[in-house]
Amino acid sequence: MMSWCKMGIINQLSLRYLKNNKRKVIVIILNIILSTMLLFTVSLGASTLRGHSVNESINEVGTHHVIYKNLNYDVYENLINDKKIKDVVIYQENKLTYESNSFNIITFDKDINKYVTLESGRYPQNNKEIIISNKNNYEINDTINEFKIVGIYNNIKRSLNFDDYSIITIDNIKKDLVTNYLVTFKSSISIYKEIYRKADEFDLKYTLNSFGNRIYDKVDENAWLLQSLGQYPNVKTQIGMYSMLFVILLVISMFSAMTIKNSFEISLSERKKYFGTLRSIGASKQQIFKMILFETLILSLISIPIGLLLGYGFTSFLVNIVNNIMREINTFDYNIIIYPIYIIIAFTFIVITIVFSAIKPAKKSLENKIAPDMTDAERYEVLKNKVIKNIPKVADVKNTSESDISKWEDIDKLTGKEKRNVIRKIASEFGVFKSYENQDVEISFDFSNSNFTNNSAPCELPSNKTKWSSQCNPPSPSNSPSNVQPANPLKTLP
């Protein structure tokens, strides 16, 4: 075996090949760039659509995930002490009559600005200040009973379902009134499971709808927001929504893999003789395989960043086109929004596509097949590896029949007697000459055409002898690879 065949030298050979074959390398790089750009564009586009859907949902229905309605005030302690809950906002409803008008007075404990949009004025700062709808005939600084109007609002989050005669104040929470809880969890993953968990803790009853989903009393999920976050009460629906993105990425990956794979196959098929030469001077399959993977790594490090940048630029271009088309319809412009999970998914598909595209051609280029245009050294390597691959394990030697060699794998652990028995079987099955050199097996072959087409043995070691039969005809030196010395059939076995 060649002592110089270290991975450092193999990698140098890879770099030399990349430098000397720029045209082929550029074709592969362009294919990887195009595949990366397409996969990243799809994922980034999906991320942007989701981001705008979430933002629109928050503008319309608020940031909370669920409302627990008409519960006792003591539930508040349970909610704020739950480690999986991020925020709790409470509000209470009461009736107020003034000048023959009946108002619904809403009292928040905090964060009125998250749920109510002002047209003019300011938000109340104490329980004596209120804001009122612009659909009522009141102005700022007017009073209703003991309350002073400090602001006029024009919009309330739709999920709260307040009517147009609602008066809103702050910091007037009473523990003897039923209370509503706007709850936001820390994570939106499996959010319905958490919503149901808290409902069960409060002993709320539920029924099942026609889809098998739970419908709890006194529980109002913020469904619009949850759907924009990719969360559904039915797991099958949720999986189906994510599957759409995976199917699109998978289709693109398949076509991309075919393109990149063809480029690799063309490149590697032209280097089979080169690989055969490396094998004949001692390079192992694993080393050559690692050399091909090293080349793939270098090409990927060059191509992927370029593809990501082009994908980002192409997505920006598409977003600008959509904004120009929808400008007269939408009151806002789209912009790129990045969710890490979508980038991770895209990058995963990119890496899998490139690795798959490289591994299959690499394995194919290292297959042990005898071709008519092979040199003797290449034929020798093919046959030698075929023999070594079919040598038995130690435990199987004694139980292996002469014709059954399908389980033969390893020779390193065999003792002298077992080696001799194995060699006899190999000689009988493959027609090879074998001898020992420092306890290692040296293999030589007769490269005549007959030995390539049948398994007849030109020489076989009888079971009762320790020397090769003198009647055997060893291969002539002219037919053996120049760098391999044919074994002497008369040489005494150790």
Side-chain angles (χ1 to χ4, degrees):
M1 303 296 287
M2 60 179 181
S3 60
W4 55 267
C5 191
K6 306 296 183 182
M7 284 314 298
I9 297 177
I10 291 290
N11 292 342
Q12 291 179 20
L13 294 175
S14 297
L15 294 174
R16 183 182 301 175
Y17 170 79
L18 296 177
K19 291 179 181 179
N20 295 336
N21 296 270
K22 295 180 180 178
R23 183 173 298 178
K24 298 174 184 176
V25 169
I26 289 174
V27 171
I28 297 176
I29 288 177
L30 290 176
N31 285 327
I32 296 176
I33 289 174
L34 180 60
S35 302
T36 302
M37 185 186 76
L38 290 175
L39 290 169
F40 187 67
T41 298
V42 171
S43 292
L44 193 57
S47 175
T48 298
L49 290 176
R50 176 188 173 180
H52 280 280
S53 177
V54 171
N55 291 341
E56 184 178 359
S57 299
I58 291 174
N59 289 335
E60 292 293 331
V61 296
T63 59
H64 62 280
H65 295 146
V66 63
I67 305 176
Y68 296 104
K69 293 185 173 182
N70 301 326
L71 301 179
N72 296 329
Y73 182 81
D74 55 10
V75 169
Y76 182 67
E77 292 294 327
N78 178 293
L79 292 171
I80 62 174
N81 290 327
D82 193 313
K83 294 182 179 180
K84 293 186 177 181
I85 292 178
K86 178 182 178 181
D87 187 36
V88 179
V89 177
I90 63 177
Y91 71 90
Q92 296 175 336
E93 300 183 56
N94 209 344
K95 293 295 181 179
L96 175 67
T97 302
Y98 178 73
E99 294 182 351
S100 71
N101 293 323
S102 178
F103 297 95
N104 186 30
I105 182 166
I106 311 296
T107 303
F108 281 84
D109 68 330
K110 61 178 181 179
D111 296 339
I112 295 179
N113 59 304
K114 289 184 178 181
Y115 302 97
V116 183
T117 303
L118 286 182
E119 180 181 275
S120 60
R122 60 177 176 82
Y123 291 101
Q125 298 176 352
N126 55 64
N127 57 17
K128 296 300 181 181
E129 297 179 341
I130 60 172
I131 55 177
I132 195 169
S133 171
N134 59 0
K135 296 180 180 180
N136 292 293
N137 296 322
Y138 291 93
E139 297 180 356
I140 295 176
N141 294 325
D142 287 349
T143 59
I144 298 178
N145 286 351
E146 73 273 20
F147 300 104
K148 179 181 179 181
I149 299 175
V150 296
I152 306 295
Y153 68 82
N154 58 8
N155 183 52
I156 297 179
K157 300 302 182 187
R158 290 161 54 181
S159 59
L160 299 182
N161 297 319
F162 295 160
D163 61 41
D164 294 336
Y165 293 95
S166 295
I167 295 174
I168 299 174
T169 186
I170 194 171
D171 196 26
N172 193 25
I173 301 299
K174 298 178 180 179
K175 294 183 179 182
D176 57 340
L177 293 179
V178 293
T179 307
N180 305 285
Y181 301 89
L182 300 163
V183 178
T184 305
F185 291 89
K186 292 181 179 179
S187 174
S188 61
I189 299 176
S190 300
I191 189 68
Y192 277 93
K193 181 179 178 181
E194 295 302 320
I195 292 173
Y196 297 161
R197 176 178 65 84
K198 297 308 297 183
D200 290 337
E201 288 183 10
F202 303 147
D203 294 326
L204 302 181
K205 297 180 180 180
Y206 69 87
T207 57
L208 297 178
N209 63 13
S210 58
F211 299 101
N213 303 327
R214 295 184 183 186
I215 307 297
Y216 278 89
D217 294 336
K218 303 181 180 180
V219 175
D220 187 6
E221 299 100 344
N222 197 349
W224 188 351
L225 175 62
L226 297 183
Q227 289 177 12
S228 67
L229 292 171
Q231 299 298 310
Y232 295 84
N234 192 311
V235 177
K236 292 182 180 179
T237 304
Q238 185 171 327
I239 293 175
M241 296 300 295
Y242 280 106
S243 297
M244 293 176 61
L245 174 61
F246 277 93
V247 168
I248 295 173
L249 292 175
L250 183 61
V251 171
I252 296 175
S253 294
M254 290 174 62
F255 283 100
S256 300
M258 292 173 59
T259 305
I260 300 173
K261 176 174 165 287
N262 289 336
S263 301
F264 275 114
E265 281 184 342
I266 294 172
S267 174
L268 295 176
S269 63
E270 296 175 354
R271 300 166 66 190
K272 277 192 174 182
K273 288 187 177 181
Y274 177 67
F275 294 148
T277 302
L278 290 179
R279 295 296 310 280
S280 67
I281 59 177
S284 66
K285 266 189 178 182
Q286 290 77 11
Q287 287 175 316
I288 296 177
F289 187 73
K290 289 179 180 178
M291 179 179 74
I292 297 173
L293 292 184
F294 177 75
E295 293 175 8
T296 305
L297 175 63
I298 296 298
L299 296 176
S300 299
L301 291 176
I302 296 172
S303 307
I304 291 177
I306 298 175
L308 294 177
L309 291 174
L310 290 177
Y312 187 90
F314 185 64
T315 306
S316 299
F317 174 73
L318 293 178
V319 168
N320 287 332
I321 291 178
V322 171
N323 286 335
N324 290 331
I325 295 175
M326 305 292 290
R327 187 153 290 162
E328 295 182 358
I329 302 175
N330 289 340
T331 57
F332 60 90
D333 284 342
Y334 287 98
N335 51 60
I336 293 179
I337 299 175
I338 298 177
Y339 281 92
I341 185 63
Y342 285 84
I343 306 305
I344 293 172
I345 292 173
F347 193 77
T348 301
F349 270 88
I350 290 168
V351 172
I352 291 175
T353 300
I354 295 173
V355 171
F356 174 80
S357 303
I359 285 180
K360 194 169 182 179
K363 288 184 176 180
K364 186 176 180 180
S365 67
L366 296 175
E367 286 180 354
N368 290 330
K369 294 182 179 179
I370 297 175
D373 60 343
M374 279 186 175
T375 64
D376 283 351
E378 292 170 334
R379 293 182 178 189
Y380 169 78
E381 287 300 320
V382 170
L383 290 176
K384 184 181 76 171
N385 287 302
K386 182 179 179 183
V387 171
I388 293 176
K389 180 180 179 181
N390 289 282
I391 294 175
K393 296 178 181 179
V394 178
D396 298 331
V397 173
K398 296 180 181 180
N399 300 323
T400 304
S401 64
E402 291 290 334
S403 60
D404 182 13
I405 59 169
S406 61
K407 298 180 181 179
W408 295 8
E409 295 176 359
D410 190 4
I411 198 171
D412 294 337
K413 299 179 181 180
L414 298 181
T415 63
K417 182 178 179 181
E418 291 169 334
K419 275 186 179 181
R420 194 178 302 115
N421 188 30
V422 170
I423 291 169
R424 187 178 299 113
K425 296 176 183 179
I426 294 173
S428 174
E429 185 72 24
F430 290 100
V432 300
F433 297 90
K434 301 187 68 70
S435 64
Y436 293 120
E437 294 291 342
N438 299 325
Q439 298 300 317
D440 291 326
V441 176
E442 180 184 312
I443 309 173
S444 300
F445 299 93
D446 180 356
F447 292 109
S448 63
N449 290 333
S450 61
N451 282 335
F452 295 150
T453 58
N454 63 69
N455 291 331
S456 61
C459 193
E460 181 177 355
L461 181 64
S463 59
N464 59 349
K465 295 184 179 181
T466 57
K467 295 183 180 181
W468 292 96
S469 172
S470 60
Q471 297 177 355
C472 295
N473 295 320
S476 61
S478 61
N479 288 331
S480 298
S482 58
N483 60 335
V484 179
Q485 296 297 327
N488 183 0
L490 301 177
K491 185 173 180 178
T492 303
L493 292 172

